[in-house]
Every structure is written in C-alpha cells, then in structure tokens.
Amino acid sequence: MAAAGPRRSLRGAVCRQLLLTLVIFSLAAETCKEVILNVPSKLEADKIIGRVNLEECFSSADLIQSSDPDFRVLNDGSVYTARDVVLSDEKRSFTIRLSDKRKQTQKEVAVLLEHQKKVFKVLKKRHTRETVLRRAKRRWAPIPCSMQENSLGPFPLFLQQVESDAAQNYTVFYSISGRGVDQEPLNLFYIERDTGNLFCTRPVDREEYDVFDLIAYASTADGYSADQPLPLPIRVEDENDNHPVFTEAIYNFEVSESSRLGTTVGVVCATDRDEPDTMHTRLKYSILEQTPRSPGRFSVHPSTGVITTVSHYLDREVVDKYSLIMKVQDMDGQFFGLIGTSTCIITVTDSNDNAPTFRQKAYEAFVEENVFNVEILRISIEDKDLINTANWRANFTILKGNENGHFKISTDKGTNEGVLCVVKPLNYEENRQVNLEIGVSNEVPFARDIPRVTALNRALVTVHVRDLDEGPECSPAAQFVRIKENLAVGSKINGYKAYDPDSRSSNGLRYKKLHDPKGWITIDEISGSIITSKTLDREVETPKNELYNITVLVIDQDNRSCTGTLAVDIEDVNDNPPDILQDYVVICKPKMEYTDILAIDPDEPVHGAPFYFSLPNTSPEANRLWTLTKVNDTAARLSYRKNAGFQKYTIPITVKDRAGQSATKMLTVNLCDCPHPSQCRETSRSTGVILGKWAILAILLGIALLFSVLLTLVCGVFGATKGKRFPEDLAQQNLIISNTEAPGDDRVCSANGFMTQTVNNSSQGFCGTVGSGMKNGGQETIEMMKGGNQTLESCRGAGHHHTLDSCRGGHTEVDNCRYTYSEWHSFTQPRLGEKLHRCNQNEDHMPSQDYVLTYNYEGRGSPAGSVGCCSEKQEEDVLDFLNNLEPKFITLAEACAKR
C-alpha cells in the first residue's frame, strides 16, 4: 500500500509530506552497493525505517543478519528498529550479511542512515528534472500523516491516499476504524472504499485530541484480507490558539521593609494549553504596571516568574502596599504572542527601623519621704513603627541613679508610656534629690546598623524628695541581744533603741512591750533596757536554737509610733544532766544476751556527749547479776550474767555528761523466757485483759442466739406432745405392711387429715375412718370426721393428682359432721385402688394373697368396730392415748408428724 497527496503544487507537497515521511533511496545501480536511508533523528522501537532490495544483491541467501543490534532485517528486506534510537551524528551505518549455507557463500550490504534534512536537497534536484509530481509506487507501510488544528477547510478535507500492493492484482476495497471513525468523536474521518482517499469532515481541537490512531484495512470483494491491517496515525499539528493563564487571578505576597536588594518576594506561574516544548508554550513574564508608579521597587525573572526587590530598602511608613500588574506572553514574548495578565499585591511588613524617642530631654518629679508603691511620673515617647507590635512597644530602663533600688519603671501596655514608681521609701534627711537617667528601646532588636542607645533615646529625670514631720524610726527593725540562761531575776540588760529622724536622738521616746511569748522580761519605758522578770530557760523554748523574739512599741511625744523586734539569743548553761530514754525493757533469755540503753542531754553539744554510764556501788545485787559496757558516746550495753534468773529487776544506772552533770535512773528489766520481747509482754499481762465494747457485744449476741435456739426446740416439743399425732402412712398414700398372716388393724389416718388447694388458696383438712368396707349387696359404710369450715369438695382437684400430704394445713377442730358415702367413694376409690394394686405384688411383681384380705360385712354400727386406725365414734377421748406415750415413742411420733 502507498500514500500519495493530492496533486497540488510541487513545493506544497514536499513541505507537508516529506517533513514526516521516511524516504528510502536505494542506490541499486549496482548489486550489493551501499544503501542510503533518510530517517529522522529520533526513531521509535519496532518501526520500519526502509527497505533494502536483497534479491538484487543475493537472491539465494537463506540467512540474513544485521551487524547493529539496534536494527533487525526481515526476509523481504524491511529494516525495523529493535529499540528507541537517537542519531546523535548526522550519519550512522551498519551492514546486512547475506549467507547461503549450501553454497557456503556470503555477501554484505552496507546501509547508511542520514538525517531527513538531506531529503530536501534530493527533492530539489528531482524538481529541476520533473515539472509534474508523479505518484510513485509505495509500499503497504505506516505513513505518517498530520492535519492542522482548527483548519478552515474546505471540508471534507483530503488528507492522503492509502494504497495496497495487492491492488495491482486484485480489486481491493479500503476501510478504517479507530477513534474519530467508530469511536468518539464519531464520523470525523472516512475513507473512500474504492480509491483509498482519506478525508476529515470538520475542524479538530488539538487540546482535546492530539493524535488519532486509525487502522486501515485492505480486502477483496469476497472478504479476503489482501494485506495486514495498517496502523495509520494522524497527528494534529498545534496552532497557537490558547492564551497563557496565571494560576491565580490575584497573588498576595509579603516582604519585610528591612529586606536587602535582591530579596525574593514570591513566584508567579502561568500555564498554556498549547503543545508543550514549542514556541506556543514558551512563556515570558514581565511587569506591566506598578502602583504607586515611581520608583520601581520590584522586578520579575522573565522565565521563572520570580519577583525580587530592586531597591536597597523599603519604607513601610511611606508606602505599606504595592500593586503590580503581571503579564505573561507566549511565543517567548514576541509581539505576536498571546498575552495573559494577573494582579500581584505586595504588602510591606513592619520592621523595627524606627527607634523610640523621648519627647523631652529632661523631666522632673516630686515625692514625699517615707512613701512607697506610688506613681510619680509618666514619660511619653514617639515611635513610627506599626502600633501594638513588638517593633512599637517600648522597654524602659533606669540606667543610672537607682543603685539603692528606690525606683522602678514599667511600660503602660495601652499608651506605651513609661511609668516611674517609688518602691522603697526615701528619706529626706539622707537624700533630698535623686537624679535618674532613663533609657528606652523596643521589645525586638533594631533592624538598622545604628548604635543601640543614642542621644534621642535617653532622658534625665530629677526626683525631688519633700520633707515630712515624721515619727520615731525603728532602725534597724530587728536588734539583737545575748543573755545567759538562768540569769538572776531582776538583771538589767541593754534593750531596744530607736531615734527621732529629725533630731537624730532617742530623747523623748517611750518604749512598751507588745509581745513576750513566755513573759520572761520587762522593758524600761524611758531607756528601752530590758529586765529579767523570770528565770530564762533555753530548753523550754521550742525549737531550742531559735531566737526569743520580743516585739517593742516606740512612741514619741506626738503619739506617733513605730515597732521593732528585739531578738534575744539565750546562751546555754549546763543545767541539765543526761537522761536515759527507756523506763522498761525486756530481755529474752537465752536468745538475747543484752540490751542497749540510750541517753540524751537537752543542753547544747558542748555540755552534752560523750556520756559515762555506770552501775552504782549501792546495789550489790545489780553488780552481781548485770554488767554495763560502753557502745558509743550516747549509748551503753546492759548484759546479764549466767546466774540471773527469770524475773523483773530494778537496776539503778548513773549517766554523766562531759561537764560532770549526772543523774541516776531506776531501769526496770524483765528477764523473760520468750522467743521475742513482744510475746513476753503479752504473757505477763494476760491476767489483766480487759474486754472491749465489741467483744462484749459479740458475747451478748451469742447468748441471745443460744436462747433463741433453745426456745425453738422447747416450743417444738411442746407443740408435738399437745396435738394429736397419727402415723403418716395415709398422708403418703401407702398401706403399711403388717407382715402378719391374719387380718389386723392398719393405721391409715394422717394426723392432719387430707389437704388440698382450693380456688381461693385456703388450706383445709379432714380425718376419716375407713370402715370395714365390703361390696356385699351394694352397701358400704364409711364415716368421716370433718375439720373446721371444710367440705369434701375443697379437697378435690380439677383433674389434678393429690396426695394426702398436700392437703395439710392450718389448725383444725373436729366437728360432728359426716359426709355421704358417694362423696367419699368418688374421692378415695381411684387412689386406694392404685395403691392396693401395687401392694398386692411381691418382689417379682406377681400377685400375692397375703397382703390385702377381704373381711365379711358385720352391719352398720357393729360393736366390733372398724379395722381402720380410727373409730367411727368421734369422741376426743378415743385419741387421748396419744398424749401419754412413753418417751421412746415420742421421737417416733414426731418423725411421723414431720413437723
């Protein structure tokens, strides 16, 4: 297949087709001569770059090889790239080796690759020889094709002709597919079925579609594919139809006013939708306008868009904000390039480039003596920097004149004034005038290179002290005096002294004692001397090494006063002997062989340890059984001898300090046979145990519990013996086996009678006598005794199985009331029949004849009575025998009653 442009002028065809087309020139004048292929400088992988006529060189070759691994050669002579290739030089060559293995011959074809720019020279020569451009025979191969973006037509616009080699022998029909044909955008391209002419139906925007990858097909009339499908890329050539656009409509930057020349302010950036890496997207930045206009303070880099300062310094106090109109233009800023604009706002931030200055060079202030924590002067300053910032806020300092710390200066945060205060009272008699030097600076360092403190930020302040007629002065406020303890009562010592600041003397002053913790002294009203009224004891004062403080009031003739403190240092005297700490010790013999004794002395250390411990000779028994040895300066070890027995000992021990003060103490020592001293104390004191309130309460609760148990047992026994008790067999619905071969009386009556649950949950019972029942002539006799307020129906259940035990309840009294036989029979017959059937079986569940026997009916009211446990007679005396049971039967009766 081949591609051919329309028959236009020779120059137009050459310019459009040959810029992107691979032109293959095969110099086939001679066989196996060098072949020149004109190719672009960049070759993509797996793309054909030309074809070599191998038949002319060596027709019998059966092996084809390439000397360059970047290229591969097919059997038909087509040359393909094996990978992406970039031709750095204008020429590149490689060799194609043709071999015939049967004839053992080999030939080579040299291939030379040249850049496409030489194609124009060849075409120019051909143009001189040909006046008409003739369509040459092309191969079925991908032919690069392009079309102009936003083309004006006319439409349909012819792009190129596709032709297959098979068209020389067959009738071939052409078709295409891909984006722009059967994919969006639909119907943009179509191909003439018979001629292979490719057309475009409307303009195309490259920013939307930059390339269309079409597939061309060649087929015969019967549907046979004449050639392989041909990839047919159509590239849309860019047109400069998009203006560059800044990324932001308004840029906001900040720059410090103290910035140096060339400081970066910010970066502006623009984008262009046209094809990258072309003149259409090569942008250039510039500043169109600056407000205020003069002088120019900023510049922008034409390629990067970086805005920098071009002035040595900016002054925020003059201009605090600049507005720049930024311009960007494509085509590298050429006059025909498209333009975009944006606004850039640059705010100049404040720097501390203006030093604060005093409004005056000298100030005066007045203050009365003896006052403090008062404001005496406010100092105003001027600062052009931004208000309420660290560059504007002032820091005041007293540079000179405040060596005694009488003054303090601070800053009023609201007004930025310096506030001078007196924090320590001034004395007119000592200093009538004070000269201060005040300095001021900002919270942050100054931005410019000028001296830190200049003549403009210093000021002199003269403070005049006014005299006052003041009272006595207690100076110093705390005065000290030293007195020995145990000094004789009435001794006089120098006391507190105050003076009148005007006369500088103590004349006319009176002294009074305001506070004396122990009342040990009195004070002379005229001289201020102190007199001991009691004996001073250093050991009584707590803590002992502290000073004894007395508060003194000083009054002048005008009743003006001051207070002071007289601190008395009581000097220690050795007036206390050492004292043993223990009064009672326990020694466990033989586990413990000794005990250590400690002593203390309340006097000062100079009158204290080392102590000397000894056993006086006045106690020969103690010296015989005990020994005393020194442990350290304040302790001794008391040991017993082997012959000492287990008992309490009273041992006298003498302790003496270094100055000779001594004392004897009677120490009680318990020599005990115990593993630990605590256990010995418990044994010796066990006889004197005193019960606490909780122990007494526990004992009382135990006694109460015991009485409650006994009371319960007594009530239970009394209730059991008082009531009528019968065997429990009837309540359990069992018949007692008598193990007798003759008829006997079996008790089947419960003490409480039959019990059941009625609808109203009332508990009822009855006791009956089962007479000598016999089915003889249809007559049976049964008599029952009814409990109080009971009916037979009350013991019946609606379809429920009842036991006699379930009908127990409440207190019942026997009443002379009888039930009919039919009522009794309907109630007891089903239950007794089931029990009789079970009892009439032996261990092998076989019928037995010696369990239940039949007796003859003797008639109603027979003197022989019933074989039941209860007589038909309802007199209570019949059951009196139950109240007089022997002791051995009482337990049995209680068990049957199941209380």
Side-chain angles (χ1 to χ4, degrees):
M1 178 178 284
R7 297 187 177 273
R8 300 176 182 178
S9 64
L10 178 63
R11 182 178 300 275
V14 170
C15 294
R16 187 164 61 88
Q17 292 289 338
L18 296 183
L19 281 175
L20 301 173
T21 305
L22 298 175
V23 181
I24 303 173
F25 292 90
S26 179
L27 303 179
E30 296 182 9
T31 304
C32 299
K33 288 189 176 180
E34 183 182 62
V35 176
I36 300 175
L37 301 179
N38 291 277
V39 295
S41 60
K42 295 181 180 179
L43 302 177
E44 296 180 359
D46 297 326
K47 296 293 184 180
I48 186 171
I49 61 174
R51 182 174 294 175
V52 179
N53 191 351
L54 303 179
E55 294 290 336
E56 294 179 357
C57 179
F58 197 9
S59 60
S60 62
D62 55 4
L63 179 62
I64 303 173
Q65 294 178 327
S66 173
S67 63
D68 193 338
D70 291 341
F71 303 92
R72 53 189 177 87
V73 184
L74 303 183
N75 293 333
D76 62 349
S78 299
V79 181
Y80 284 84
T81 55
R83 60 180 63 88
D84 292 340
V85 179
V86 178
L87 301 180
S88 57
D89 298 328
E90 291 185 358
K91 295 182 179 181
R92 181 170 176 173
S93 63
F94 64 95
T95 302
I96 301 175
R97 299 185 182 90
L98 306 176
S99 303
D100 189 346
K101 296 180 180 179
R102 292 177 299 174
K103 298 180 180 180
Q104 298 294 323
T105 57
Q106 181 177 348
K107 292 185 179 181
E108 294 182 352
V109 178
V111 180
L112 178 64
L113 303 180
E114 291 185 354
H115 289 186
Q116 272 186 343
K117 61 183 181 179
K118 294 192 175 183
V119 176
F120 292 97
K121 298 180 181 179
V122 177
L123 293 177
K124 188 175 181 180
K125 294 179 181 179
R126 294 181 59 188
H127 177 66
T128 57
R129 295 196 300 262
E130 298 179 7
T131 57
V132 180
L133 181 62
R134 301 182 182 274
R135 180 175 60 86
K137 181 180 179 181
R138 307 296 189 199
R139 300 292 184 183
W140 176 263
I143 306 299
C145 179
S146 65
M147 61 177 295
Q148 189 68 30
E149 177 187 16
N150 300 326
S151 175
L152 298 178
F155 294 99
L157 178 66
F158 175 77
L159 297 180
Q160 68 177 2
Q161 184 183 22
V162 179
E163 186 177 4
S164 172
D165 291 342
Q168 299 176 2
N169 302 320
Y170 305 98
T171 300
V172 177
F173 300 102
Y174 301 95
S175 62
I176 57 175
S177 66
R179 189 171 66 173
V181 180
D182 53 0
Q183 301 176 17
E184 290 292 336
L186 299 174
N187 303 322
L188 180 61
F189 302 100
Y190 72 91
I191 190 171
E192 291 182 345
R193 182 169 179 269
D194 299 326
T195 62
N197 292 332
L198 183 63
F199 293 91
C200 178
T201 60
R202 57 184 181 271
V204 180
D205 186 2
R206 190 209 66 84
E207 286 70 42
E208 188 175 1
Y209 303 102
D210 57 346
V211 66
F212 295 92
D213 293 319
L214 304 181
I215 304 295
Y217 304 92
S219 59
T220 60
D222 55 359
Y224 171 74
S225 296
D227 272 317
Q228 295 291 331
L230 173 67
L232 191 61
I234 299 178
R235 182 174 174 272
V236 181
E237 295 181 358
D238 185 47
E239 182 183 21
N240 191 20
D241 58 341
N242 290 279
H243 291 259
V245 179
F246 282 96
T247 55
E248 296 183 22
I250 298 177
Y251 291 89
N252 289 281
F253 300 121
E254 291 184 354
V255 61
S256 175
E257 63 176 330
S258 60
S259 300
R260 297 181 179 273
L261 180 67
T263 301
T264 299
V265 177
V267 180
V268 295
C269 182
T271 59
D272 196 322
R273 294 182 60 199
D274 290 325
E275 186 175 1
D277 301 325
T278 63
M279 291 294 290
H280 299 164
T281 55
R282 185 172 296 179
L283 307 180
K284 195 169 188 178
Y285 301 91
S286 60
I287 298 176
L288 278 182
E289 182 182 347
Q290 172 187 301
T291 304
R293 293 181 178 275
S294 181
R297 300 294 189 187
F298 307 97
S299 66
V300 62
H301 192 280
S303 300
T304 62
V306 177
I307 301 175
T308 56
T309 58
V310 295
S311 177
H312 287 284
Y313 70 93
L314 302 172
D315 194 349
R316 186 203 63 83
E317 289 72 32
V318 178
V319 179
D320 62 348
K321 187 174 292 185
Y322 292 88
S323 177
L324 306 180
I325 304 299
M326 306 300 300
K327 183 185 80 171
V328 60
Q329 191 171 15
D330 58 16
M331 301 302 292
D332 200 21
Q334 299 183 55
F335 68 94
F336 51 82
L338 301 180
I339 297 174
T341 59
S342 178
T343 301
C344 180
I345 305 299
I346 300 176
T347 302
V348 181
T349 59
D350 186 48
S351 296
N352 190 20
D353 58 343
N354 293 280
T357 58
F358 290 101
R359 294 183 178 179
Q360 298 176 216
K361 293 183 178 180
Y363 298 86
E364 283 188 338
F366 296 89
V367 62
E368 294 180 350
E369 65 173 336
N370 300 326
V371 298
F372 59 96
N373 292 334
V374 294
E375 177 185 324
I376 62 174
L377 182 63
R378 280 183 171 264
I379 304 174
S380 301
I381 63 165
E382 292 182 354
D383 196 323
K384 296 180 180 179
D385 290 322
L386 189 62
I387 296 176
N388 293 326
T389 63
N391 302 324
W392 174 79
R393 287 190 287 269
N395 280 338
F396 294 90
T397 307
I398 301 176
L399 301 176
K400 294 181 181 178
N402 193 33
E403 288 77 10
N404 295 325
H406 291 282
F407 302 93
K408 182 186 74 172
I409 190 168
S410 59
T411 304
D412 188 329
K413 300 299 182 182
T415 62
N416 209 30
E417 294 177 325
V419 181
L420 183 63
C421 299
V422 175
V423 295
K424 186 178 178 182
L426 293 167
N427 193 334
Y428 175 82
E429 288 73 25
E430 294 179 357
N431 201 347
R432 301 184 179 183
Q433 179 178 304
V434 180
N435 296 319
L436 303 176
E437 185 176 1
I438 308 296
V440 64
S441 61
N442 293 119
E443 291 184 357
V444 296
F446 196 69
R448 299 178 185 268
D449 297 332
I450 63 174
R452 179 69 176 168
V453 179
T454 64
L456 296 178
N457 51 23
R458 289 186 179 215
L460 297 177
V461 178
T462 302
V463 181
H464 301 278
V465 183
R466 292 174 179 171
D467 186 26
L468 293 178
D469 187 9
E470 49 194 336
E473 183 174 343
C474 297
S475 180
Q479 300 179 16
F480 299 88
V481 64
R482 189 177 181 86
I483 305 175
K484 284 188 177 183
E485 71 171 327
N486 300 329
L487 188 66
V489 176
S491 300
K492 190 173 184 179
I493 306 100
N494 292 332
Y496 195 87
K497 288 295 182 181
Y499 65 93
D500 188 341
D502 295 329
S503 62
R504 309 301 296 176
S505 67
S506 300
N507 296 331
L509 301 181
R510 294 177 292 118
Y511 299 88
K512 290 185 178 181
K513 182 178 68 171
L514 288 181
H515 179 65
D516 182 5
K518 301 293 183 182
W520 284 345
I521 67 165
T522 59
I523 189 167
D524 188 274
E525 185 176 357
I526 303 300
S527 63
S529 300
I530 58 175
I531 303 168
T532 58
S533 59
K534 295 180 181 179
T535 302
L536 278 66
D537 190 352
R538 189 192 69 87
E539 288 74 30
V540 174
E541 185 66 14
T542 303
K544 300 180 180 60
N545 295 327
E546 292 290 337
L547 297 174
Y548 184 74
N549 295 324
I550 302 170
T551 304
V552 180
L553 176 67
V554 183
I555 307 172
D556 64 4
Q557 295 178 354
D558 297 329
N559 288 329
R560 290 172 297 191
S561 63
C562 68
T563 57
T565 301
L566 181 64
V568 180
D569 184 10
I570 302 176
E571 185 178 352
D572 183 45
V573 176
N574 189 16
D575 56 344
N576 293 283
D579 183 29
I580 296 176
L581 295 178
Q582 298 99 320
D583 293 324
Y584 175 84
V585 294
V586 176
I587 302 177
C588 291
K589 180 182 179 182
K591 264 200 164 184
M592 298 172 56
E593 297 180 356
Y594 58 85
T595 185
D596 290 337
I597 301 170
L598 301 177
I600 58 172
D601 194 333
D603 292 326
E604 288 188 355
V606 68
H607 300 136
F611 301 141
Y612 303 95
F613 297 85
S614 62
L615 296 174
N617 296 326
T618 57
S619 178
E621 182 181 0
N623 290 324
R624 180 174 58 84
L625 299 177
W626 301 89
T627 60
L628 198 63
T629 57
K630 181 178 180 180
V631 177
N632 51 37
D633 290 345
T634 60
R637 182 163 294 167
L638 180 64
S639 306
Y640 59 86
R641 300 181 188 275
K642 294 183 178 180
N643 55 351
F646 295 106
Q647 69 178 52
K648 288 186 179 180
Y649 296 88
T650 302
I651 304 173
I653 300 177
T654 302
V655 187
K656 182 171 61 176
D657 61 16
R658 67 167 64 184
Q661 281 277 9
S662 64
T664 301
K665 184 170 185 178
M666 304 304 292
L667 180 65
T668 300
V669 181
N670 187 0
L671 189 60
C672 183
D673 184 9
C674 59
H676 192 269
S678 60
Q679 298 180 5
C680 179
R681 288 199 297 269
E682 292 174 1
T683 303
S684 63
R685 298 179 184 180
S686 61
T687 58
V689 174
I690 299 176
L691 294 178
K693 58 181 181 179
W694 294 109
I696 296 173
L697 179 61
I699 293 173
L700 293 177
L701 290 176
I703 294 172
L705 181 61
L706 181 60
F707 274 111
S708 64
V709 172
L710 294 176
L711 182 61
T712 303
L713 293 176
V714 171
C715 292
V717 172
F718 179 75
T721 57
K722 183 178 180 180
K724 296 178 177 63
R725 304 300 176 191
F726 300 98
E728 192 69 12
D729 194 57
L730 183 60
Q732 301 299 329
Q733 294 188 1
N734 292 326
L735 296 178
I736 300 175
I737 302 173
S738 62
N739 291 328
T740 61
E741 297 179 357
D745 292 335
D746 293 333
R747 298 181 182 273
V748 294
C749 182
S750 173
N752 292 328
F754 298 104
M755 302 297 297
T756 186
Q757 186 93 16
T758 62
V759 177
N760 56 3
N761 293 329
S762 61
S763 188
Q764 314 230 346
F766 65 88
C767 179
T769 60
V770 181
S772 56
M774 175 181 177
K775 293 182 180 180
N776 189 4
Q779 293 185 356
E780 288 181 342
T781 300
I782 181 168
E783 295 182 1
M784 296 183 296
M785 293 190 308
K786 175 192 168 193
N789 299 325
Q790 292 179 335
T791 63
L792 182 61
E793 286 77 13
S794 65
C795 285
R796 292 178 180 174
H800 297 284
H801 177 71
H802 296 276
T803 63
L804 296 179
D805 190 53
S806 66
C807 288
R808 290 181 185 172
H811 175 70
T812 62
E813 294 181 358
V814 179
D815 189 11
N816 295 328
C817 181
R818 301 178 184 272
Y819 291 101
T820 64
Y821 167 77
S822 60
E823 290 176 329
W824 168 253
H825 182 273
S826 62
F827 179 79
T828 59
Q829 187 64 25
R831 294 163 178 79
L832 292 178
E834 179 182 359
K835 293 298 181 180
L836 290 173
H837 175 71
R838 292 181 180 176
C839 292
N840 199 23
Q841 294 178 352
N842 57 15
E843 295 179 355
D844 298 328
H845 301 285
M846 297 297 294
S848 179
Q849 298 301 325
D850 58 348
Y851 281 19
V852 180
L853 301 177
T854 303
Y855 296 91
N856 290 329
Y857 177 70
E858 297 177 352
R860 181 176 181 84
S862 175
S866 171
V867 296
C869 66
C870 299
S871 174
E872 290 181 333
K873 300 179 180 180
Q874 301 301 322
E875 291 80 11
E876 293 186 3
D877 54 353
V878 180
L879 303 177
D880 290 341
F881 72 96
L882 294 175
N883 297 329
N884 300 314
L885 296 175
E886 294 182 5
K888 61 182 178 181
F889 294 109
I890 291 177
T891 303
L892 179 60
E894 290 178 353
C896 292
K898 289 189 177 181
R899 291 186 59 88

